[in-house]
Amino acid sequence: MIFPSVLWAPQRGTGAVRRTPAAIGQTPWRAVWPLACWLALAGNVPLWQRVAALDGSVGQTAVLLAGLGLLVWGATAALLSLMVWPFAYRPLASVLVLVTAFNTHFMLQYGAVIDPTMLANVVQTDAREVRDLLSPALPFTVLLVAGVPLWWIWRRPLRSRHWLAQTGRNAGGVALGLLVTVLVALLTYQNLASLMRNHKDLRYMINPLNSVYAATRLAADQLPRQVKALQPVGEDAHLGASYAQQARPPLLVLVVGETARAQNWGLSGYARPTTPALARWQAQGDLVNFSQVQSCGTNTQVSVPCLFSPLTRAQGGDQTAEHENLLDVLQRAGLAVLWLDNQSGCKGVCDRVPHASTRELNLPGVCADGECFDEALLQGLDERIAALDPQRRARGVVLVMHQMGSHGPAYSRREPANHKPFQPECTSNTLSECAADQLVNAYDNSIAYTDHFLDQTLQWLQTQADQGRYDTGLLYVSDHGESLGENNLYLHGLPYAFAPDQQTRVPMVTWLSAGLQQRSGVSADCLRQQAARPLSHDHVFHSVLGLMDVQTAVHQPALDLYRPC
């Protein structure tokens, strides 16, 4: 039997030597090592820029750059050597190159890093969010980073060899790559260890190893949990004594904000009037602003499930859900629950309760191109609630509204033209190209529109209370914050351990009608005295249970922000 690994075959009748296709192809060494070198250098420009900008002498910086560069080269070569199979190498290597190019763009433009939570967020991104992230610089960066290596990959096929011989060559390539990595790590250990210890985010900037690591961790974490049923929570949940002879059922609106940071929240001391309507409600005495609130995560994919989790962040509430959530407990207790979404979904939180999306709507002046302003959440609200189970509705209603809020980078698209008090504003989604004051104007306009939306929601709730339909209340909290160019960071999603305050400190307010205050025994004046104490997303699960008088062993009074009052 003649294997394709035969490299030369004589041409009959001439005595000349003719090359077979196998001989024309590239050897694995020539395919892998130059490509690894390109990816290590051109594919890691954001990393090299970051290292070069660190404090240190020219000599120290040169040693760091050389050592880290060789380490990345060896590790990338080892990774590529695993892929060297004739029919698999070119498509797999092409994917790796394109991922590297896209990573480079987003790290350069927004200061992003690639970790498992960021990758999970990418997987959950919908078409509207992708559209907002597209910019003229994206194809240019992808072509610049990926053009040459794609040509190199596809210019010639790999030489075909017997699988046993190919396995040996692949193993040799992996061993050599790892040897280079280990030797460099040993020779530069002190410098590199200090660098990674003091700047932990750098490890998530190493292309394309960051994406491979993130994908592996994400799959190992989520896939086993996808096949397991959620553990029930609050199986003993029942309604408390306040429901025995109630004159009116309670109605609580829980607004999950999007990308609002406390630093730009007028009620929390920001110099600009970004929350004038809420300030008026606060002056009336029944609205309370909590100024020291920490989010559970730095992106929606983590924060929203954590917000509704029975677990605190320290207990694993920021991990892939293994338990049912707040909405399951409320529904189990007998209340009517409804989730309305103006975002990219509820991240699994609302899967077992009634839910709807604004994508079903087509409201002139409010919805366009598959996206709606947050006002759409209030359209037909009475009819939506009336359609809920009447027996549950008669006991009480918890309505969750998930905002579009201040979702970036297209902040200027988050509100209509007549709700833009701060001008001129940045209209580009390439945030690094915007003047700093115009970028802040665009973001502040989105906060001001959230203020307007919450004002409309409060007016609706006040009407429900005045008409004697419900004892009403509102709890608003943002899912995470946002970076607006501080330390050359934009958007959000940095690993929590070293995320800046702008991404983790969020606004939270509550408003209770006179009827709900009387029913629950909670005093707004008392809450106001507690408004500056440290709170977090950990408090939401237990606070909603306490306010709605849902009795269950999973309720922790210490995490109920209403409990002291």
Side-chain angles (χ1 to χ4, degrees):
M1 179 177 181
I2 300 176
F3 292 105
S5 58
V6 177
L7 302 183
W8 299 91
Q11 189 174 1
R12 290 183 182 178
T14 64
V17 176
R18 178 172 61 87
R19 293 189 179 191
T20 68
I24 297 173
Q26 295 188 81
T27 63
W29 303 97
R30 288 190 62 190
V32 164
W33 287 87
L35 178 58
C37 184
W38 177 273
L39 293 178
L41 295 176
N44 281 279
V45 170
L47 175 64
W48 309 136
Q49 287 182 341
R50 176 73 186 281
V51 174
L54 298 175
D55 293 334
S57 66
V58 174
Q60 289 175 325
T61 301
V63 169
L64 281 175
L65 289 171
L68 192 55
L70 289 171
L71 191 148
V72 174
W73 183 37
T76 305
L79 174 64
L80 289 170
S81 295
L82 291 172
M83 305 177 182
V84 183
W85 300 97
F87 299 106
Y89 176 72
R90 290 199 287 184
L92 290 177
S94 297
V95 169
L96 208 61
V97 166
L98 288 171
V99 166
T100 300
F102 279 95
N103 287 352
T104 298
H105 170 77
F106 291 110
M107 286 194 287
L108 284 173
Q109 290 294 325
Y110 304 115
V113 298
I114 311 301
D115 72 327
T117 58
M118 177 63 78
L119 189 60
N121 216 32
V122 170
V123 171
Q124 293 288 328
T125 298
D126 63 11
R128 295 181 297 180
E129 292 175 326
V130 170
R131 179 193 61 196
D132 289 342
L133 291 168
L134 297 178
S135 69
L138 178 58
F140 176 76
T141 304
V142 171
L143 180 62
L144 203 61
V145 175
V148 170
L150 287 177
W151 170 81
W152 178 261
I153 291 168
W154 290 94
R155 60 191 288 267
R156 287 183 182 178
L158 285 177
R159 289 185 181 179
S160 180
R161 299 182 183 277
H162 186 258
W163 69 269
L164 192 58
Q166 190 62 58
T167 301
R169 287 178 175 269
N170 291 2
V174 172
L176 181 59
L178 293 178
L179 179 63
V180 170
T181 302
V182 171
L183 287 177
V184 172
L186 291 174
L187 292 173
T188 61
Y189 174 78
Q190 186 172 353
N191 289 331
L192 288 179
S194 176
L195 177 69
M196 292 301 173
R197 185 165 52 248
N198 296 322
H199 304 278
K200 295 181 180 180
D201 57 323
L202 292 179
R203 67 189 69 180
Y204 300 114
M205 296 180 68
I206 301 174
N207 256 332
L209 304 178
N210 50 5
S211 294
V212 174
Y213 167 77
T216 303
R217 277 288 306 273
L218 190 63
D221 178 55
Q222 292 198 357
L223 289 179
R225 303 187 187 191
Q226 297 296 327
V227 299
K228 292 167 55 178
L230 292 176
Q231 298 179 32
V233 172
E235 292 183 292
D236 61 337
H238 61 278
L239 300 178
S242 63
Y243 291 86
Q245 294 179 337
Q246 61 180 9
R248 292 172 301 277
L251 166 60
L252 177 67
V253 172
L254 174 55
V255 179
V256 179
E258 172 64 39
T259 320
R261 67 184 199 177
Q263 183 173 316
N264 292 57
W265 192 252
L267 291 184
S268 295
Y270 187 45
R272 276 181 154 180
T274 52
T275 55
L278 292 178
R280 292 193 299 271
W281 285 93
Q282 186 182 48
Q284 294 171 14
D286 293 328
L287 184 137
V288 179
N289 178 70
F290 300 97
S291 58
Q292 301 295 329
V293 182
Q294 291 293 123
S295 68
C296 184
T298 61
N299 59 59
T300 305
Q301 178 66 25
V302 170
S303 282
V304 168
C306 188
L307 193 67
F308 291 85
S309 173
L311 305 179
T312 65
R313 187 178 187 281
Q315 294 170 334
D318 60 337
Q319 304 300 313
T320 302
E322 294 183 341
H323 299 79
E324 293 177 342
N325 60 66
L326 173 63
L327 303 188
D328 296 300
V329 179
L330 294 171
Q331 186 165 256
R332 180 170 290 125
L335 297 174
V337 181
L338 174 62
W339 179 290
L340 297 180
D341 204 280
N342 193 35
Q343 250 286 344
S344 57
C346 66
K347 313 307 178 188
V349 172
C350 66
D351 288 354
R352 295 165 299 281
V353 302
H355 54 273
S357 171
T358 57
R359 294 189 182 190
E360 306 163 2
L361 304 176
N362 184 19
L363 303 171
V366 179
C367 301
D369 300 326
E371 183 175 314
C372 298
F373 299 127
D374 284 328
E375 292 174 74
L377 291 166
L378 299 171
Q379 300 294 321
L381 205 48
D382 291 321
E383 292 77 11
R384 289 187 184 277
I385 292 177
L388 297 174
D389 180 274
Q391 292 184 337
R392 291 179 175 274
R393 192 178 70 246
R395 300 186 192 107
V397 179
V398 176
L399 168 64
V400 184
M401 294 195 289
H402 188 197
Q403 281 187 274
M404 178 60 76
S406 301
H407 196 287
Y411 307 118
S412 63
R413 296 172 57 92
R414 301 300 167 241
E415 67 284 324
N418 60 337
H419 285 283
K420 294 180 179 291
F422 306 108
Q423 294 293 334
E425 68 170 359
C426 165
T427 58
S428 171
N429 55 4
T430 306
L431 302 183
S432 58
E433 296 178 356
C434 294
D437 59 337
Q438 294 183 18
L439 175 57
V440 172
N441 285 345
Y443 182 80
D444 284 351
N445 285 335
S446 69
I447 296 292
Y449 182 66
T450 288
D451 174 71
H452 168 72
F453 166 70
L454 292 176
D455 178 40
Q456 287 188 311
T457 305
L458 288 169
Q459 290 181 37
W460 178 78
L461 286 170
Q462 186 68 71
T463 299
Q464 300 295 315
D466 291 344
Q467 294 177 352
R469 296 179 181 176
Y470 296 97
D471 290 328
T472 57
L474 175 138
L475 177 62
Y476 163 85
V477 62
S478 180
D479 62 348
H480 54 76
E482 188 85 328
S483 289
L484 297 176
E486 300 89 0
N487 300 315
N488 294 317
L489 296 175
Y490 297 89
L491 302 180
H492 52 267
L494 281 179
Y496 198 91
F498 43 83
D501 187 62
Q502 290 88 357
Q503 295 190 25
T504 60
R505 185 165 161 254
V506 296
M508 183 165 74
V509 301
T510 191
W511 173 89
L512 306 179
S513 69
L516 189 56
Q517 289 187 50
Q518 182 178 5
R519 175 193 182 99
S520 63
V522 176
S523 163
D525 291 335
C526 176
L527 285 177
R528 193 169 294 107
Q529 296 172 10
Q530 305 279 330
R533 67 188 178 106
L535 298 171
S536 73
H537 281 173
D538 293 345
H539 290 78
V540 172
F541 179 94
H542 306 281
S543 300
V544 172
L545 290 181
L547 185 63
M548 296 301 291
D549 193 16
V550 173
Q551 303 294 309
T552 171
V554 297
H555 176 243
Q556 297 182 40
L559 292 175
D560 183 345
L561 69 88
Y562 300 104
R563 184 77 172 189
C565 297

